[in-house]
Amino acid sequence: MCVNSYLSHLERRIGNILKSMSIEEKVAQLQSISVDRLLEGKNFSEEKAKQLLRYGIGEITRVGGSRIGLRPREAARIVNEIQKFLVEKTRLGIPAIVHEECLAGLMAPTATVFPQAIALASTWSPEIVNRVANAIREQVLCIGSRHCLSPVLDLCRDPRWGRCEETYGEDQYLVSAIGTAYILGLQGEDISKGVIATTKHFAGHGFPEGGRNIGPLHAGLREFMEQHLYTFEVGIKVGGALSVMPAYHEIDGVPCHANKWLLTDVLRGLWGFRGVIVSDYSAVLQLNTIHRIARNCVEAFKIALEAGVDIIFPDIICFDDIVKAVKEGLISEAVLDRAVERVLRVKALLGLFDNPYVDETKVPEILDNEIHRKLALEAARESIVLLKNDGVLPLSKDIKTIAVIGPNANEPRNMLGDYHYDAHLGKDSTSVNVVTVLEGIKRKVSKDTKVLYAKGCDIYSQDRSGFEEALRIAREADVIVAVMGEKSGLDPTWFGLKQEIVQHTSGEGVDRSDLRLPGVQEDLIKELHKVGKPIVLVLINGRPLAITEILPYVNAVVEAWFPGEEGGNAIADVLFGDVDPGGRLPVSIPKSVGQVPVYYSRKPSAFRNYIDVDSKPLFPFGFGLSYTQFKYSNLVVKTPDVNPFGYVEIEVTVENIGKRPGKEVVQLYIAKEFSSVARPVKELKGFKKIYLEPGQTKRLLFRVPTELLAFYDSDMHLVIEPGEYRVMIGRSSEDIQLEGKFRIVGEKQIIQHRKHYFSEAIEL
């Protein structure tokens, strides 16, 4: 069957189903239900299903991520039993979509725990992220789920915000490149054999007022469209994402779940989005309870539906009242049909009408496997960023005694991000083997090396009682590896828990007014410094940490983020020099919280100094040291004059002039010298991660479509503006090695539909 015939057949099939549906059956397709409500223990309850699923359902919430803790075969069995009930025991026999959280691995017991999203971004490798997403897709399909609520395409512009760890950083170009690679890996080449990706949180969620989760976004329309919307446009137009989740917050008084301009005019009208818009968890109810623009549940549903939301997550809301409102004409049945049609179309594209079942005989006892663990190790290695090194690193494997100290040195649970299963559900143990830094070091050193360990202190507590033991082993050691940082999870108050006990300092709902190391960790570092031994600080954390005060007290700093199950091995590989640290920062690290926001691509007027500190970050976007040295030379702008809708071609040579092999991230920034509206001081427009042996040279060609230089002018037209542009090639946004110029000639051009979003980076 040809493509057009297939699509025509698909639309006829959807139309026929829609015509035969009752109001109750239509409303049911726009709702979801938690799998836990359909279970008795770990078994599917048909009695509960007869009550809750009698009209069908749009989606099932988190079978793999159930709080009950279903093993893979149990999850697959329950998915099949739910689908069998829906197909055989409801009037229309419409299967459900099962959705999961998949931020850095399937959020389910025994699934592979890849590095957290911020760490994946630090790889600056879309290729690795694409492979990670492919692995996640395999594990999601294994249990019968078909929809993932990821990736997060928000820009982390305020690191006080606890969900910074879920993002790919602060820059729209990098976030778009990493996010698109993830979407393509998750959905695959054939969506009937793939998993739906959900771009979220639409849009601007990463720059909330005061850094407080779901706080209002304060951004002008131009900034909002050029930066915060850009990542989603790319994810949809290039990545082909089939699901979008609006954000919790409001923009200039209009909550995103009620924003028709955002969800319908831009998303569907301007960008041509054809998938489903799914609500964030309880966000539709928040139109009543938090934003107070709806008087009750039904009115909240009506507002969201009319704005463009298609499915309500995570559970059924005011079902009977909605049905009644439709029958009485308070909610338009035509608007209802529009959403139902979209849901049915996605189910058809997934192939659920033809086969909604998973082959239980092929489901393993555990999802994690050797191949995916190796990938988790590779991703963690590539993500580690070396921030400081006075020569103490790499360490010798034959060193006599190492003291490994700190609250994150030997806590497997603390290696996980907030949407890894065990962290998300607040568990102390882990369902897969997670290698700690202490374990990684022990595996790496020679049999004659003595490895001592002391926790020293907790993450958040003020208790100093562990200092004495930490100082004792520090005095015995030749070098100290201090493993500090944060602990990720959800806001403990949501579950009636105390912060002092749970000690979450990063994650959803875990926002901070201070960016220094929490608790007494800085005090411990200062006490260890008095011992007089070299100190290597390893950071396990989710947000940029302002380590200004303790930086002089340590000899080296390794930023590892939340590195996942193989994090300890990856960190040890870097500490002992088996792997060159090839990660680069996807966010700027401030000197203090008072500098926020400190992202690199601010406007020229934003760089005025304070009376007590300058406006530069402690470590800039794109920064990362290596164990070798790289030399940049021979920058050539091959197109000094380029027409609108043309290509700028830039060549540069990079040489490894050190004695060790290593990876360098070559970064291309461009700025317009003078513009009709104020523009950022520079913007990333291309990058390439390359491997070089000692003495090896590579020539790179960047081919940049001029559309990448477009911006919204004073009339809010997206334009390519003629004039002079500055080219900057560097090792970070601050460490610019070479500069050049080119001109766009001719008349200003208005772009009606953008076609290009990325530059090419080619090794010649």
Side-chain angles (χ1 to χ4, degrees), residues 286-590:
Q286 288 180 8
L287 299 180
N288 165 242
T289 60
I290 292 179
H291 298 296
R292 303 186 66 79
I293 67 166
R295 293 174 178 82
N296 51 51
C297 176
V298 172
E299 190 172 347
F301 177 87
K302 179 178 186 291
I303 291 170
L305 185 71
E306 291 176 348
V309 175
D310 299 315
I311 307 180
I312 309 301
F313 284 174
D315 220 322
I316 297 169
I317 64 169
C318 50
F319 182 88
D320 293 336
D321 291 336
I322 292 171
V323 170
K324 181 181 177 183
V326 176
K327 290 181 177 180
E328 292 178 352
L330 299 177
I331 295 176
S332 165
E333 189 170 358
V335 176
L336 192 76
D337 288 353
R338 181 185 68 184
V340 174
E341 183 180 19
R342 293 167 181 163
V343 174
L344 295 177
R345 182 178 295 108
V346 169
K347 289 186 176 185
L349 288 172
L350 287 171
L352 291 175
F353 289 111
D354 301 316
N355 180 20
Y357 305 110
V358 60
D359 187 345
E360 295 177 42
T361 65
K362 295 182 179 179
V363 181
E365 288 284 349
I366 63 171
L367 295 171
D368 194 24
N369 57 52
E370 184 179 354
I371 293 174
H372 293 159
R373 284 198 76 95
K374 287 181 178 178
L375 179 56
L377 174 61
E378 182 183 357
R381 285 170 171 168
E382 294 286 334
S383 71
I384 293 170
V385 186
L386 182 61
L387 297 178
K388 177 180 179 178
N389 184 23
D390 68 359
V392 67
L393 294 179
L395 300 173
S396 168
K397 296 175 186 176
D398 296 320
I399 197 168
K400 290 183 179 179
T401 306
I402 299 175
V404 184
I405 297 169
N408 281 341
N410 197 35
E411 295 288 342
R413 160 68 178 77
N414 290 10
M415 307 291 277
L416 313 184
D418 64 343
Y419 272 80
H420 290 127
Y421 181 80
D422 300 303
H424 197 76
L425 272 70
K427 296 179 179 294
D428 293 326
S429 59
T430 58
S431 64
V432 295
N433 176 38
V434 177
V435 182
T436 66
V437 178
L438 178 63
E439 291 171 334
I441 289 174
K442 285 182 175 180
R443 294 176 184 182
K444 185 65 61 174
V445 297
S446 71
K447 66 181 188 313
D448 297 324
T449 298
K450 184 186 296 185
V451 180
L452 308 175
Y453 164 69
K455 186 176 183 180
C457 65
D458 289 326
I459 293 289
Y460 191 72
S461 168
Q462 296 297 312
D463 184 7
R464 289 170 164 78
S465 61
F467 279 26
E468 184 177 348
E469 174 65 10
L471 292 170
R472 183 188 66 78
I473 69 167
R475 294 186 189 100
E476 296 180 28
D478 298 299
V479 67
I480 301 165
V481 177
V483 191
M484 308 291 186
E486 298 184 291
K487 180 180 181 181
S488 184
L490 303 187
D491 180 353
T493 63
W494 294 348
F495 310 105
L497 303 174
K498 292 184 178 180
Q499 173 64 35
E500 290 76 13
I501 297 173
V502 177
Q503 299 196 62
H504 294 167
T505 60
S506 182
E508 184 173 2
V510 188
D511 311 315
R512 294 178 58 198
S513 63
D514 188 354
L515 296 178
R516 294 166 60 172
L517 279 170
V520 294
Q521 295 181 70
E522 289 192 359
D523 294 339
L524 179 55
I525 289 288
K526 291 176 182 178
E527 291 300 313
L528 291 171
H529 175 73
K530 294 177 183 178
V531 174
K533 304 295 177 66
I535 300 175
V536 178
L537 174 61
V538 177
L539 295 173
I540 309 290
N541 55 296
R543 58 162 55 79
L545 294 173
I547 58 171
T548 309
E549 188 169 328
I550 59 169
L551 195 58
Y553 294 87
V554 299
N555 302 83
V557 180
V558 173
E559 175 60 83
W561 306 111
F562 293 120
E565 65 183 35
E566 282 291 327
N569 286 330
I571 291 166
D573 285 339
V574 169
L575 291 179
F576 292 93
D578 288 341
V579 171
D580 185 68
R584 300 293 183 265
L585 290 177
V587 285
S588 304
I589 297 180

